[in-house]
């Protein structure tokens, strides 16, 4: 509604919606998209060089002269922006002062200094429009009369505002609730779900698992609570995890978003259930994490560290920002009316790669192999040890009532780990502590992996400390 008070923003909002709807309908050809991206890259370079103290120093004359003769190849020679830059330069990264935005957010700061992430109206309009156009297909697939629960990490995070705005755009009621808050808690969150007949929930996978465990403790059957679908974000979400949680709740589970507080929306789920890039908002590059050079396409996809540049000019556009995340990008499938952009598969952070008996394993590969064989699990943790020169793996599983896995599932786990990583595997059962709930605040590896081969690093220590505080409430 705020746009009716500003003619310029109102026109921008309508133009943005038209562009995204036309893209959604397959109305942009590759040549038009490439021309649009190259023009927007030049505008971003000019914008940040004029306005951001950090980029004025980093790009210097390049930022002023590059737009006039920019090509995708010459753009790829510009310097990277790193997480250390964001942590070290803080407000110098901004291209607009905080008072020119509409809201201030920051990163959680659980493993380092919190960094400022203000948004202006351009930021929110561009990102929320993309989500609204994509999510409309998902919401429609689950009927109407929706009431959506929105569960986020804290009040200084964008989750509540972003998903609340998207629900409003699409004509659906929503309720914001923070289950880890001492004011709300999981028991009250469950009561609200029942009282107002919530049909869909935005949350992290671990919040969904924690709510299921709380429901069972309260004598409730999660499948009877009427939730039709979950929209997961904030953590790794492999097909096995989505399937397990969906089965627990009798609902469809989606990995709905790939984003960060600092980089905003980088991928959104579409009606086919797959994450898609948002090429009207973001320019994507994949590089070798070691060399920084572009990676070639192999076996039908590209895989490498994701580097992004914003194609819109808001509070804090980033240029060639190294996300630290490993991803795969598959070519767009424009048949059957599907969203005509690349399929995005997040594999985990570069620094979360795990060595198992000489095999370099991504977080996605590890979780996929395990969870595809843990049907019925309510929670899990992986323990890595080294015995007589061999890396071993123990899968600690929490199940309803302490039930054991079907013998064939356990046997399949043992065989799969041996075949993939030469890794002996055991399955253990019990109630897991709160550390598994900290993934969105710290990292998947810190929350899910207890690596006994080495002392706990800073992230694992932060996860354990946070788990201790949560269990003390």
């Amino acid at each position: 509604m705020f746009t009716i008070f500003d003619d310029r923003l109102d026109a921008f909002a309508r133009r943005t919606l038209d562009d995204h709807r036309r893209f959604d309908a397959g109305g942009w050809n590759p040549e038009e998209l490439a021309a649009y991206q190259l023009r927007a890259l030049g505008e971003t370079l000019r914008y940040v060089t004029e306005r951001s103290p950090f980029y004025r120093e980093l790009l210097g004359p390049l930022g002023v002269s590059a737009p006039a003769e920019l090509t995708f190849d010459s753009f790829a020679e510009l310097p990277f922006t790193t997480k250390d830059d964001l942590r070290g330069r803080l407000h110098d990264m901004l291209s607009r002062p905080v008072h020119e935005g509409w809201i201030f957010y920051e990163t959680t700061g659980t493993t380092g200094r919190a960094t400022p992430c203000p948004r202006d109206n351009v930021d929110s309009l561009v990102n929320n429009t993309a989500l609204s156009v994509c999510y409309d297909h998902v919401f429609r697939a689950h009927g109407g009369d929706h009431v959506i629960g929105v569960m986020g990490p804290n009040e200084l995070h964008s989750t509540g505002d972003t998903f609340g705005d998207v629900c409003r755009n699409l004509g659906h009621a929503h309720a914001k609730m923070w289950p880890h808050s001492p004011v709300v808690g999981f028991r009250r969150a469950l009561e609200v779900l029942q009282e107002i007949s919530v049909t869909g929930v935005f949350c992290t996978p671990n919040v969904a698992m924690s709510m299921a465990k709380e429901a069972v403790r309260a004598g409730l059957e999660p499948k009877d609570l009427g939730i039709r679908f979950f929209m997961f974000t904030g953590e790794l979400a492999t097909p096995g995890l989505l399937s397990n949680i969906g089965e627990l709740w009798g609902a469809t589970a989606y990995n709905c978003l790939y984003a960060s507080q600092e980089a905003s929306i980088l991928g959104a789920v579409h009606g086919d259930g797959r994450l898609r890039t948002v090429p009207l908002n973001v320019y994507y590059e994949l590089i070798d994490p070691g060399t920084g050079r572009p990676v070639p396409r192999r076996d039908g996809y590209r895989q490498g560290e994701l580097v992004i540049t914003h194609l819109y000019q808001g509070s804090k556009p980033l240029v060639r920002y190294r996300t630290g995340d490993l991803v795969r990008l598959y070519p767009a499938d424009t048949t059957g009316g599907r969203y005509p952009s690349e399929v995005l598969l997040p594999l985990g952070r570069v620094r979360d790669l795990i060595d198992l008996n000489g095999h370099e394993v991504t977080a996605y590969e590890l979780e996929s192999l395990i969870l595809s064989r843990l049907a019925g699990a309510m929670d899990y943790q992986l323990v890595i040890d080294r015995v007589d020169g061999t890396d071993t793996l123990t899968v600690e599983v929490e199940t309803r009532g302490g039930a054991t896995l079907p013998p064939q599932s356990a046997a399949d786990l043992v065989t799969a780990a041996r075949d993939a990583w030469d890794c002996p595997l055991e399955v253990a059962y019990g109630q897991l502590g709160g550390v598994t709930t900290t993934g969105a605040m710290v990292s998947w590896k810190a929350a899910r992996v207890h690596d006994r081969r080495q002392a706990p690093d800073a992230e694992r220590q932060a996860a354990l400390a946070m788990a201790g505080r949560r269990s003390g409430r």
Side-chain angles (χ1 to χ4, degrees), residues 142 199 201 203-213 221-232 237-255 371 374-379 400:
H142 295 280
T199 58
V201 177
C203 66
T204 66
N206 277 295
V207 165
M209 288 191 281
S210 296
M211 282 199 303
K213 288 191 278 187
E221 172 53 58
K223 293 180 180 179
D224 294 338
L225 296 182
I227 295 176
R228 304 173 199 168
F229 62 102
F230 283 92
M231 302 284 273
F232 290 140
T238 60
L241 182 66
L242 298 178
S243 176
N244 280 13
I245 296 177
E247 176 62 25
L248 281 173
W249 286 92
T252 304
Y254 297 93
N255 186 13
L371 285 184
L374 284 187
M378 300 189 77
D379 207 351
R400 188 180 301 194

Side-chain angles (χ1 to χ4, degrees), residues 106-123:
E106 64 180 18
T107 56
T108 57
T110 50
T111 58
R113 187 172 183 178
T115 61
C117 302
R119 305 277 198 274
D120 71 0
N121 288 315
V122 167
D123 294 312

Side-chain angles (χ1 to χ4, degrees), residues 27-193:
W28 287 63
N29 63 51
E31 294 76 21
E32 182 183 13
L33 178 61
Y36 168 87
Q37 289 186 320
L38 194 60
R39 183 172 63 253
L41 287 173
E43 291 172 358
T44 294
L45 285 176
R46 185 182 300 108
Y47 182 85
V48 299
T49 305
E50 291 174 353
R51 294 170 172 268
S52 165
F54 168 78
Y55 281 116
R56 190 177 302 121
E57 295 174 19
L58 181 70
L59 300 176
L62 289 174
V64 178
S65 61
E69 40 195 52
L70 190 66
T71 66
F72 290 117
D73 288 338
S74 64
F75 181 79
E77 297 301 321
L78 295 176
F80 294 114
T81 304
T82 68
K83 291 183 184 291
D84 286 341
D85 293 328
L86 271 59
R87 295 185 182 115
R89 298 300 298 270
L90 298 173
H91 289 266
D92 279 352
M93 299 295 306
L94 304 184
S95 290
R96 287 188 179 277
V98 172
H99 73 265
E100 290 186 6
W102 81 272
I103 194 164
F104 179 83
Y105 304 122
E106 64 180 18
T107 56
T108 57
T110 50
T111 58
R113 187 172 183 178
T115 61
C117 302
R119 305 277 198 274
D120 71 0
N121 288 315
V122 167
D123 294 312
S124 293
L125 284 168
V126 165
N127 284 285
N128 295 357
T129 297
L131 291 182
S132 299
V133 169
C134 286
Y135 289 175
D136 189 34
H137 296 273
V138 177
F139 281 39
R140 289 178 185 275
H142 295 280
D145 301 324
H146 288 304
V147 178
I148 307 298
V150 179
M151 303 181 181
N154 59 49
E155 292 76 7
L156 277 172
H157 201 277
S158 58
T159 295
D161 293 320
T162 296
F163 292 141
D165 193 39
V166 169
C167 289
R168 195 175 190 182
N169 289 344
L170 298 177
H172 303 299
H174 73 281
K176 298 187 182 79
M177 57 190 94
W178 318 124
H180 283 296
S181 162
V183 178
V184 178
F186 280 89
R187 183 62 61 90
R188 179 55 186 155
L190 281 170
E191 292 172 352
V192 172
L193 295 182

Side-chain angles (χ1 to χ4, degrees), residues 163-458:
F163 292 141
D165 193 39
V166 169
C167 289
R168 195 175 190 182
N169 289 344
L170 298 177
H172 303 299
H174 73 281
K176 298 187 182 79
M177 57 190 94
W178 318 124
H180 283 296
S181 162
V183 178
V184 178
F186 280 89
R187 183 62 61 90
R188 179 55 186 155
L190 281 170
E191 292 172 352
V192 172
L193 295 182
Q194 295 175 282
E195 288 174 7
I196 64 175
S197 300
V198 166
T199 58
V201 177
F202 285 98
C203 66
T204 66
N206 277 295
V207 165
M209 288 191 281
S210 296
M211 282 199 303
K213 288 191 278 187
E214 185 64 36
V216 171
R217 282 193 288 267
L220 301 172
E221 172 53 58
K223 293 180 180 179
D224 294 338
L225 296 182
I227 295 176
R228 304 173 199 168
F229 62 102
F230 283 92
M231 302 284 273
F232 290 140
T233 185
E235 296 174 326
L236 191 69
T238 60
L241 182 66
L242 298 178
S243 176
N244 280 13
I245 296 177
E247 176 62 25
L248 281 173
W249 286 92
T252 304
Y254 297 93
N255 186 13
C256 80
L257 184 70
Y258 172 61
S260 72
Q261 188 84 308
E262 294 165 335
S264 294
I265 311 302
L266 304 179
V269 72
H270 205 262
D272 61 2
R274 296 187 290 179
L275 278 176
R276 299 284 183 155
T277 59
V278 191
L280 298 187
N281 294 357
V282 180
Y283 180 67
Y284 301 82
E285 301 174 79
L286 291 188
I287 63 169
D288 181 299
T291 67
R293 304 305 301 172
V295 296
R297 188 179 302 279
R298 293 194 179 96
D299 300 322
Y301 62 81
R302 290 181 294 151
Q303 178 173 318
E305 180 183 353
L306 180 63
V307 175
I308 65 97
T309 300
H310 291 126
L311 300 178
Y312 54 93
Q313 295 78 48
S315 288
K316 188 182 178 181
L318 299 176
V319 174
R320 304 204 76 213
Y321 173 58
R322 294 185 67 157
T323 63
D325 293 338
L326 283 174
V327 306
R328 284 181 190 167
L329 289 178
Y330 294 89
D333 178 5
T334 56
T335 63
R338 293 177 176 178
Y339 196 60
S341 69
E342 291 181 292
V343 173
L344 172 67
L345 182 65
L347 301 174
R349 300 186 311 179
V350 172
R351 69 171 180 261
D352 282 352
L353 286 168
I354 296 172
D355 182 276
L356 290 175
N357 297 312
H359 302 275
E360 193 174 63
V361 185
T362 67
Y364 183 91
E365 291 166 334
L366 187 56
E367 182 169 277
S368 291
L369 184 143
I370 300 300
L371 285 184
S372 63
R373 297 164 175 84
L374 284 187
M378 300 189 77
D379 207 351
Y380 81 99
Q381 183 173 234
L382 309 176
V383 179
I384 302 172
D385 214 333
R386 191 163 181 82
V387 179
D388 296 330
T390 299
D391 294 327
T392 66
L393 187 63
T394 299
V395 183
E396 297 181 339
V397 188
E398 183 172 344
T399 59
R400 188 180 301 194
T404 59
L405 297 175
Q408 190 58 51
S409 295
D412 287 347
L413 269 174
V414 171
T415 300
R418 183 192 63 218
D419 291 347
W421 312 311
D422 306 306
C423 193
L425 181 145
E426 295 182 355
V427 179
Y429 300 92
Q431 289 192 338
L432 301 180
V435 69
T436 61
T437 71
T438 64
M441 300 291 285
V442 186
S443 74
W444 171 87
K445 186 177 180 181
R448 291 292 180 190
V449 178
H450 181 191
D451 193 341
R452 291 177 175 164
R453 300 171 300 179
Q454 58 193 38
D457 60 16

